[in-house]
Amino acid sequence: MKANWQLFTGLSIFYVIMSVVYYYVGGEAVGITGMILAACLAGMVGFYIWFTQKRIGFDIPSDNVDAEIADDAGELGFYSPHSWWPLPVALSATAMGLGLIIGWWLTLIALGALIISIIGMVTEYEKPLTSSNH
């Protein structure tokens, strides 16, 4: 993780320098704002990775120059092999975007559908509590 946070911190510094150069060259306000926001985003990611590395207290295998690929092997997480929930999330997000064009009523309906579908996607593999679990 050491290389990761250094990369993002360096990228943040690069964006700040480029926005200053862009300002003096005569750049527009939108470009300067975009580069400052990109610097803030890279800085936040770099800070998060640095903070996480300090919290876990040890270097990961990718920080070791002499490490083998197998040293970093292992379970990365659970990924759903088949799920229909991304479809309602995408449809309700599309309807919400269209609602901004068509009318506020459609935006509100689509926002409700989006919240329900996101909750469904997140809790898809949650086990319900039964009376035997008490």
Side-chain angles (χ1 to χ4, degrees), residues 43-122:
M44 284 190 306
V45 172
F47 174 76
Y48 173 75
I49 294 172
W50 172 80
F51 183 76
T52 303
Q53 181 204 4
K54 294 296 179 190
R55 190 185 58 185
I56 61 175
F58 60 89
D59 291 338
I60 60 175
S62 62
D63 290 334
N64 186 1
V65 179
D66 299 326
E68 298 290 328
I69 293 175
D71 293 339
D72 206 14
E75 184 176 329
L76 297 176
F78 175 75
Y79 300 99
S80 178
H82 49 79
S83 175
W84 284 95
W85 281 107
L87 183 63
V89 169
L91 289 176
S92 50
T94 302
M96 193 169 162
L98 289 174
L100 295 173
I101 298 169
I102 296 172
W104 63 270
W105 57 272
L106 182 59
T107 304
L108 292 177
I109 294 170
L111 178 64
L114 182 64
I115 290 170
I116 291 169
S117 58
I118 287 174
I119 290 172
M121 187 167 78
V122 169

Side-chain angles (χ1 to χ4, degrees), residues 8 21 26 40 42-43 51:
F8 278 103
V21 169
C40 292
F51 183 76

